[in-house]
Amino acid sequence: MLVAHCIMAQMPKLLDKSCIEEFLNSFDNVLTDCDGVLWRGDDIIGRSNEALSLIRSLGKKILYITNNSTKTREEYAKKCESMNFVADKEDIMSSAYATAFYLNQQQFNKKVYILGASGIALELDEVGIAHTEVGPEHQIVDPLVIDRVMKLEPGVGAVVVGFDSHLSFPKIVRATSHLKDPDCLFIATNRDEWFPNTNTDLLIPSAGCMVSCVEVVVQRPPLVIGKPSKNMFSILSEKHPLQASRTLMIGDRFNTDILFGKNCNLKTMLVLTGVTKMEDLEEYASSLDEEKHNLLPDYYLPSLDDIINLLKDFSS
Ligand SMILES: [Mg+2]
């Protein structure tokens, strides 16, 4: 019985009628993750747009924060509009934008080798930083001849690794070869392990897979720009008046969203529509591993949708 009591004591609060008022009074700003919270790929999750509109109608500011580096802020703003989320470009923070912002802030003036998608390339263009092309590279079948045919682009001073659906052996060789130079910066947009998806037969690798491919060879860690690193909160705070203690982070992953919230001293809420499932939450809550306890959110909800009924009850 004592064990059961301890386990219950560790579970985060399910957001329900009993705590909705305390919850709403605890924040003015919301940072919401996107994949697994608002949408999966091009499919909106339930009525997440209506849920955010209701929260906004209570005077809360909503900002979007995603580790996905495949799109620009502009493209995310269009995606939001097409799914009826209210979002201005300035309300969106992505790891691609944050990477370009960081390099620009560092007055980086060399070329970036991109192992990633067009989101990174276009955001670098916005700040005038030179970079290599993105997209597929001709596959060299025999790795033993690669040293005779491959030429590296000159002037590369940073390698940025994000999600790349055209990941290939030649691209990894280019990334690792540039990083032989100890002065070449090694930057990862994010290290998410896999994408939330609805096909339970598939486990779809995310940027963490690409980052590990390079890291294991060069044997030095990258600077990670996306969550759980605090970079994106610092950049957002320069553009919006955000008081950490009055900001709520909503996400679907422990080791990115919730840890980011904790690193930045934000309130945290986990939803179970993405990567993390109820069984994971229960496992973390009942674990004897303190590291897992530290990744537990303040609140959880099965789906962001569920807040719609809670808020209707609250305002009536
Ligand atoms: Mg997510």
Side-chain angles (χ1 to χ4, degrees):
M1 285 307 286
L2 184 63
V3 172
H5 175 75
C6 289
I7 290 170
M8 290 307 293
Q10 297 289 351
M11 265 307 266
K13 276 186 202 162
L14 168 67
L15 187 62
D16 61 12
K17 282 182 186 177
S18 72
C19 57
I20 186 74
E21 188 167 0
E22 165 200 299
F23 169 77
L24 289 170
N25 288 335
S26 72
F27 64 89
D28 304 313
N29 314 294
V30 175
L31 305 187
T32 179
D33 176 45
C34 299
D35 292 288
V37 177
L38 308 180
W39 57 65
R40 289 185 211 97
D42 288 331
D43 299 323
I44 188 165
I45 297 177
R47 292 185 291 159
S48 52
N49 48 7
E50 197 180 328
L52 287 189
S53 291
L54 272 173
I55 297 171
R56 181 180 289 102
S57 72
L58 298 170
K60 316 291 185 189
K61 187 169 187 62
I62 313 271
L63 300 169
Y64 304 80
I65 182 161
T66 177
N67 268 0
N68 192 319
S69 65
T70 60
K71 290 183 173 61
T72 61
R73 292 190 305 163
E74 198 98 49
E75 289 167 325
Y76 274 117
K78 281 190 186 135
K79 180 169 182 166
C80 284
E81 197 186 341
S82 73
M83 291 183 171
N84 291 322
F85 291 102
V86 178
D88 185 69
K89 179 177 158 188
E90 293 299 325
D91 300 338
I92 295 165
M93 174 55 58
S94 79
S95 62
Y97 170 74
T99 298
F101 186 98
Y102 170 81
L103 286 170
N104 195 35
Q105 205 173 40
Q106 300 296 309
Q107 298 176 325
F108 179 81
N109 57 9
K110 293 183 178 172
K111 191 184 278 184
V112 174
Y113 178 75
I114 302 173
L115 183 66
S118 62
I120 300 168
L122 294 168
E123 292 291 8
L124 288 172
D125 287 340
E126 281 283 306
V127 293
I129 292 179
H131 58 82
T132 58
E133 297 283 312
V134 293
E137 173 163 355
H138 172 65
Q139 292 271 352
I140 298 164
V141 180
D142 184 354
L144 297 178
V145 304
I146 203 163
D147 58 340
R148 277 181 258 152
V149 294
M150 181 175 278
K151 297 249 182 315
L152 292 177
E153 278 206 42
V156 168
V159 170
V160 171
V161 184
F163 177 76
D164 190 341
S165 60
H166 300 290
L167 178 73
S168 65
F169 181 70
K171 285 181 147 192
I172 299 168
V173 174
R174 289 189 188 281
T176 55
S177 302
H178 287 302
L179 289 168
K180 269 182 76 183
D181 175 357
D183 292 330
C184 184
L185 302 174
F186 181 17
I187 293 175
T189 57
N190 62 304
R191 303 200 71 150
D192 293 42
E193 296 92 347
W194 66 87
F195 282 106
N197 77 97
T198 44
N199 183 340
T200 51
D201 289 339
L202 300 181
L203 184 58
I204 303 173
S206 186
C209 161
M210 287 87 196
V211 176
S212 292
C213 273
V214 175
E215 184 182 22
V216 74
V217 181
V218 299
Q219 298 186 22
R220 60 171 154 128
L223 170 70
V224 180
I225 297 288
K227 297 168 285 184
S229 152
K230 294 194 273 187
N231 290 297
M232 296 208 287
F233 187 73
S234 312
I235 300 171
L236 269 176
S237 301
E238 285 185 27
K239 294 166 180 283
H240 302 275
L242 293 177
Q243 194 185 335
S245 63
R246 299 287 303 166
T247 300
L248 171 73
M249 174 69 207
I250 305 175
D252 70 307
R253 305 180 72 111
F254 291 126
N255 64 353
T256 52
D257 304 318
I258 303 305
L259 184 55
F260 169 79
K262 300 210 169 218
N263 287 342
C264 301
N265 296 315
L266 316 180
K267 297 198 164 43
T268 52
M269 183 165 80
L270 181 77
V271 293
L272 305 174
T273 45
V275 166
T276 308
K277 304 294 178 203
M278 191 63 192
E279 53 265 35
D280 303 315
L281 186 59
E282 286 170 349
E283 191 229 308
Y284 271 53
S286 62
S287 167
L288 298 175
D289 182 347
E290 207 175 317
E291 255 182 55
K292 287 187 173 175
H293 290 178
N294 290 338
L295 295 177
L296 289 170
D298 298 314
Y299 297 93
Y300 78 96
L301 259 187
S303 163
L304 195 54
D305 258 23
D306 298 319
I307 211 166
I308 295 173
N309 281 337
L310 289 173
L311 291 183
K312 279 183 180 155
D313 288 351
F314 177 73
S315 54
S316 62

